Amino acid sequence: MTTLTGKWIANDVMSAMIYAHSVSGRDEKLWEPLAAHLTNVADRAGRLAAAFGGQELARAMGGLHDIGKARDAFQSYIRGQGPSVDHSTAGAVIGERKYPLPFGRMMAYGIAGHHAGLANGDIAGGGLSSLKDRLAAGAATPLPESCLTPYLDIAPPEVALAAPVLSEGFTHEFSAAFLTRMLFSCLVDADRLETERFYADLHEEPVERGCPLTVADLRDRLNAHLAQFDGRTGAVDSLRAEVLAAVRARADDEPGLFSLTVPTGGGKTLSSLAFALDHAVRHGLRRVIYVIPFTSVVEQTAAVFRDALGSDDAVLEHHSGFDFGPADSGAPDEEGRDGARKLRLAAENWDRPVVVTTAVQFFESLFSNRPSACRKLHAIAGSVVILDEAQTLPLKLLRPCLEALRELARGYRSSVVLCTATQPAVTTEAGFRGGLDKVRELAPDPPTLYRRLKRVTVSTIAEPLSEEALADRLLSEPQALCIVNSRRHARDLHRRIAVTEGARHLSTCLCAKHRRAELTAIRQDIKDGKTVRLVSTSLVEAGVDFSFPAVYRAMAGLDSIAQAAGRCNRNGELPELGRVFVFDSPENEGHRPPAELALFARTAASVLRAHDDPLALDTLRAYFQQVYWLRGGEDLDSAMVGEGTAAIRGILNALRLHRRRHDFPFADIAKAFRIIESPLVPVIVPYRPAGEPDAVPRLLDALRHAPADKTGGIARALQPYLVQVPRSARAGLLKAGAAECIRSGEFGDQFVALVNDDLYRPDVGLDWEDPTFRRFDFFS
């Protein structure tokens, strides 16, 4: 390979012959020269990595990533004169040879995988050849002078400017793997954005990206929103005001790890947002990322934030319903015939000042190897991450999750706030070995807050309650909420009371638009003093501001019981304490919780027998001590990485065992890191809100006839009409003809629509138990 020092030397004749992107049917003069693409990607990748000090390394990666396109075989391909060829390996080979460990290896992973994904270091996996095999089979591509850029001559010492990330607190294997994935994110996003820009400029189709509002603008808007609550009286409102003031007073604290321990109903959602915006403005941080355990709560929280900030555009709501699935492959069409596809790939890089997402989306992306999932990761650097309901992190992945949070705070200028009503004991100060350290509490005197916000009594019903007995108890209350552990239990219990006054049901069997309508109607009925007997799954336990005089909770973890208690006498409006009853179901009714939930329930039952106040902080601490501390370290990092006899138990262990030459098993780790073991899949349901036009048939008709590159807007319009179901349940619907797969040849199983409308009921939503059910059969 020719080397060059100084400025890039342009050669118009050669430059006109070596291209990065072609344009079908257009003169070659309009194609994009390879040198221009390499320079632009390098520039942009460096800017993206500046948030964590990795700009020189990212620039070097950008300058090398597509040099394989200079090969004659690739130039023939984009002219339609030959087959597609690998163009990613050549740059990886040069990066590996030119730069020492760990930098050359980091570059090689990202460059080789910028279309296909991060591979394992030394063993094939995840459908990808190993990096070792690709480097051995690849060859450096000699470049004509016209393709040389300054970024090809970045010296190894300059690349070492990534050292801030590798400084104090650096954990060799975890930090190195994490930095590799972050740099990969910068390269992928820069490549996609520059490709998008080229085609948009060519076709004179401007791409609308970003948001004109800054975090400072949003802080001012939130201040105006909060000002309308000034002067409210009442014990709960006064306490919320105290919490808000105390939390905002800590915004000047240096970025790092924080906790916010506020009882349910104490106003922690808006208080945490206020702290995050103040803190971001004070320290020049770029955005707020709010991470929530449940998709249904993401929808609700995003709506609260849009209202409080007075902007729809500033708040990005990102969860599984917004994942384009197979179409989001991360591999642009090199011939440029599908520019819209590239635009769809560019839709999810978290380029908004406020992002509301799920724990699944957040953490699985942090451990992913897919370009489309990793693309947004660099946006987390220099941001405030609020982890709502931190106690819901899965036990088998707890230690890797904590390491990721520690790494973000240590090396990426991110502030992380563990925000919960029931703070889990995951800090070293609490005695958790390997937990987070130097975590600063934002709430003023949490034990006193709990005492002042006591609004309920919690009683445990000694004997298991049959479904009939539970229904009788609900019917004896004019207003009551019952929370159970599964959608099936919620449906079965609702059937018991369905014909009675005020019977209501909430679960994720209802599509998002249906849930929102039900939530609004239930709130209004409670306010009007009407009879309301609501049966729900745990989706109401976070972010839903219901307030019932009586709440029944199926035995679960103590944190879930505390959350359920937060839906009782929430605003202290009752003349006496609200009543919360914890019950168990008989074994023969088939409504026992799943294995892990059963473990939490047994632990909670044990702790409740030894403590008088189930909601006191010392009780909650004792619960988490049993859940976390008494389990071995292997149980808190127990995912199996790899397959067969070569499988390794634990993600951190897999990284440690592959640290010597940075042969990290990125593909195997991505496969192993699953917060939800059996991911759910979407079904489009025919919900029609009262008084509104029937949107679903119109959208499905548009979907059937739209060009393949024009379906993105239709897909987003269908999001509120999705119900997530087990994959086996959707397969049963398809087999019975109760659902159809729309344009499967082009989109796979991305769009599955319910055909048997009788299976979507106005009271309980989608019931897939009998896919052949027809309403007229029932009444015949």
Side-chain angles (χ1 to χ4, degrees):
M1 172 183 170
T2 305
T3 59
L4 182 71
T5 56
K7 295 184 178 180
W8 159 38
I9 299 175
N11 181 312
D12 290 339
V13 176
M14 292 297 296
S15 180
M17 298 173 63
I18 307 296
Y19 296 104
H21 297 112
S22 62
V23 185
S24 181
R26 305 287 289 271
D27 191 288
E28 286 190 13
K29 293 179 181 180
L30 297 175
W31 294 9
E32 184 176 34
L34 176 58
H37 180 64
L38 294 176
T39 301
N40 292 334
V41 171
D43 280 336
R44 191 185 286 267
R47 293 195 300 272
L48 295 177
F52 54 90
Q55 53 267 44
E56 293 303 323
L57 187 49
R59 287 189 185 112
M61 292 174 69
L64 289 171
H65 81 289
D66 269 357
I67 64 173
K69 291 184 176 181
R71 295 170 55 197
D72 291 342
F74 185 88
Q75 293 301 305
S76 295
Y77 160 64
I78 63 173
R79 289 174 169 83
Q81 298 169 1
S84 176
V85 295
D86 167 41
H87 68 271
S88 303
T89 304
V93 170
I94 294 176
E96 169 85 358
R97 293 177 182 175
K98 181 174 182 177
Y99 298 99
L101 281 173
F103 303 116
R105 182 56 56 90
M106 290 178 182
M107 293 175 66
Y109 275 117
I111 294 170
H114 74 274
H115 287 305
L118 293 172
N120 290 339
D122 57 0
I123 301 173
L128 301 174
S129 300
S130 71
L131 180 66
K132 178 181 178 180
D133 288 344
R134 286 190 64 176
L135 294 177
T141 300
L143 289 179
E145 278 193 347
S146 63
C147 294
L148 299 177
T149 77
Y151 302 115
L152 297 180
D153 272 349
I154 294 176
E158 293 175 314
V159 160
L161 290 175
V165 181
L166 308 180
S167 59
E168 181 183 357
F170 173 77
T171 303
H172 185 85
E173 60 270 14
F174 192 87
S175 297
F178 200 89
L179 176 57
T180 301
R181 202 178 272 107
M182 278 290 193
L183 290 166
F184 176 61
S185 168
C186 296
L187 175 62
V188 170
D189 197 30
D191 185 35
R192 303 302 191 264
L193 289 172
E194 282 303 320
T195 302
E196 171 190 281
R197 180 201 54 75
F198 168 71
Y199 285 108
D201 290 350
L202 182 73
H203 297 294
E204 298 182 344
E205 296 176 352
V207 180
E208 293 187 10
R209 280 196 169 275
C211 173
L213 296 173
T214 65
V215 288
D217 296 329
L218 298 180
R219 186 267 315 270
D220 295 341
R221 288 178 172 224
L222 181 62
N223 287 341
H225 175 79
L226 294 173
Q228 64 184 303
F229 302 110
D230 291 346
R232 285 194 175 187
T233 59
V236 174
D237 286 326
S238 297
L239 186 143
R240 290 170 179 163
E242 289 177 30
V243 170
L244 176 64
V247 168
R248 300 192 79 168
R250 299 287 300 279
D252 285 349
D253 286 13
E254 285 300 309
L257 294 167
F258 299 91
S259 59
L260 179 58
T261 309
V262 177
T264 300
K268 69 179 185 297
T269 300
L270 286 181
S271 291
S272 61
L273 178 63
F275 167 80
L277 291 173
D278 289 349
H279 188 65
V281 171
R282 172 65 180 82
H283 295 286
L285 304 181
R286 304 182 296 170
R287 59 181 51 81
V288 176
I289 301 171
Y290 213 94
V291 183
I292 297 175
F294 309 113
T295 299
S296 57
V297 183
V298 170
E299 299 159 355
Q300 298 155 25
T301 303
V304 169
F305 286 176
R306 291 185 186 108
D307 178 61
L309 301 175
S311 172
D312 289 344
D313 189 45
V315 180
L316 171 66
E317 177 185 339
H318 187 186
H319 50 78
S320 59
F322 287 85
D323 187 347
F324 284 101
D328 191 9
S329 67
D333 176 4
E334 294 295 342
E335 293 184 327
R337 287 192 276 249
D338 194 4
R341 182 163 172 257
K342 299 178 182 66
L343 297 181
R344 179 160 55 181
L345 290 172
E348 305 293 356
N349 66 346
W350 284 7
D351 190 14
R352 287 293 185 275
V354 176
V355 177
V356 186
T357 189
T358 61
V360 171
Q361 184 70 233
F362 183 79
F363 284 106
E364 289 192 0
S365 294
L366 281 171
F367 289 89
S368 180
N369 72 322
R370 292 188 301 117
S372 56
C374 291
R375 179 178 174 179
K376 58 184 172 287
L377 296 184
H378 67 82
I380 305 174
S383 299
V384 184
V385 177
I386 301 173
L387 186 62
D388 195 31
E389 307 306 336
Q391 75 283 353
T392 61
L393 291 175
L395 291 185
K396 75 168 189 173
L397 297 170
L398 181 61
R399 289 184 62 216
C401 288
L402 294 181
E403 285 298 323
L405 297 177
R406 189 200 324 274
E407 191 67 13
L408 286 170
R410 185 201 65 80
Y412 295 85
R413 292 192 64 247
S414 296
S415 282
V416 178
V417 183
L418 304 176
C419 181
T420 176
T422 54
Q423 198 62 251
V426 294
T427 64
T428 54
E429 291 87 346
F432 185 83
R433 184 179 179 182
L436 301 176
D437 55 5
K438 300 179 182 177
V439 179
R440 292 158 284 173
E441 176 59 54
L442 297 173
D445 192 5
T448 299
L449 287 180
Y450 273 73
R451 288 193 294 272
R452 291 175 60 190
L453 263 177
K454 184 177 177 62
R455 293 155 298 172
V456 302
T457 60
V458 180
S459 305
T460 302
I461 299 173
E463 297 298 323
L465 273 186
S466 68
E467 207 170 81
E468 182 180 4
L470 181 56
D472 288 342
R473 279 180 170 257
L474 295 179
L475 294 176
S476 70
E477 304 275 1
Q479 289 188 345
L481 165 65
C482 181
I483 304 173
V484 293
N485 290 321
S486 70
R487 295 192 286 193
R488 179 178 178 179
H489 194 179
R491 185 185 65 230
D492 291 348
L493 180 59
H494 180 266
R495 283 174 178 163
R496 291 263 180 187
I497 65 170
V499 297
T500 64
E501 181 183 4
R504 308 299 280 265
H505 169 276
L506 273 178
S507 79
T508 53
C509 288
L510 279 62
C511 66
K513 195 170 185 71
H514 195 170
R515 286 198 302 271
R516 287 196 288 269
E518 286 296 301
L519 287 167
T520 299
I522 292 168
R523 287 192 188 99
Q524 190 61 49
D525 285 351
I526 294 172
K527 181 180 178 180
D528 294 343
K530 295 182 179 178
T531 298
V532 179
R533 292 151 181 156
L534 172 61
V535 178
S536 177
T537 59
S538 60
L539 71 85
V540 300
E541 287 182 347
V544 179
D545 57 352
F546 285 156
S547 184
F548 284 86
V551 171
Y552 288 79
R553 182 53 168 102
M555 181 61 76
L558 200 54
D559 54 321
S560 295
I561 293 171
Q563 289 289 350
R567 311 312 123 191
C568 184
N569 195 23
R570 183 175 179 83
N571 301 306
E573 65 272 22
L574 297 177
E576 53 194 20
L577 294 177
R579 296 165 293 126
V580 177
F581 302 96
V582 181
F583 67 92
D584 214 339
S585 298
E587 301 230 5
N588 61 1
E589 288 193 347
H591 292 137
R592 306 292 292 177
E596 189 165 84
L597 290 182
L599 169 65
F600 297 155
R602 289 195 301 271
T603 304
S606 172
V607 171
L608 287 175
R609 287 193 293 269
H611 291 78
D612 294 332
D613 184 357
L615 305 183
L617 281 183
D618 61 339
T619 308
L620 292 163
R621 181 177 292 265
Y623 168 75
F624 283 112
Q625 285 177 348
Q626 290 197 34
V627 170
Y628 293 160
W629 296 2
L630 299 183
R631 297 173 72 93
E634 288 188 354
D635 287 341
L636 303 180
D637 181 19
S638 59
M640 297 303 295
V641 179
E643 298 178 351
T645 57
I648 300 169
R649 180 182 170 122
I651 288 169
L652 301 183
N653 195 34
L655 291 173
R656 181 180 61 81
L657 293 175
H658 288 84
R659 63 179 285 183
R660 189 175 67 85
R661 289 197 54 81
H662 294 256
D663 289 324
F664 299 126
F666 286 109
D668 287 343
I669 286 173
K671 183 177 180 180
F673 193 98
R674 288 289 178 268
I675 288 182
I676 300 175
E677 286 291 348
S678 301
L680 303 179
V681 292
V683 174
I684 304 166
V685 297
Y687 172 68
R688 178 181 180 180
E692 293 187 23
D694 201 354
V696 175
R698 174 180 56 81
L699 290 170
L700 291 179
D701 185 64
L703 184 63
R704 289 185 177 95
H705 299 97
D709 61 353
K710 301 294 184 183
T711 58
I714 302 170
R716 288 190 176 274
L718 285 167
Q719 302 305 326
Y721 303 97
L722 299 182
V723 171
Q724 302 289 334
V725 303
R727 188 173 293 277
S728 59
R730 192 173 72 172
L733 292 171
L734 288 167
K735 183 178 180 180
E740 66 170 333
C741 201
I742 298 176
R743 296 174 70 174
S744 58
E746 296 163 275
F747 303 115
D749 60 359
Q750 183 180 350
F751 301 109
V752 174
L754 192 69
V755 175
N756 182 354
D757 294 358
D758 291 337
L759 297 181
Y760 193 81
R761 296 166 46 188
D763 52 355
V764 296
L766 180 60
D767 184 351
W768 60 85
E769 193 171 69
D770 178 8
T772 64
F773 171 81
R774 288 287 182 179
R775 192 172 291 116
F776 61 79
D777 292 336
F778 181 79
F779 288 107
S780 62

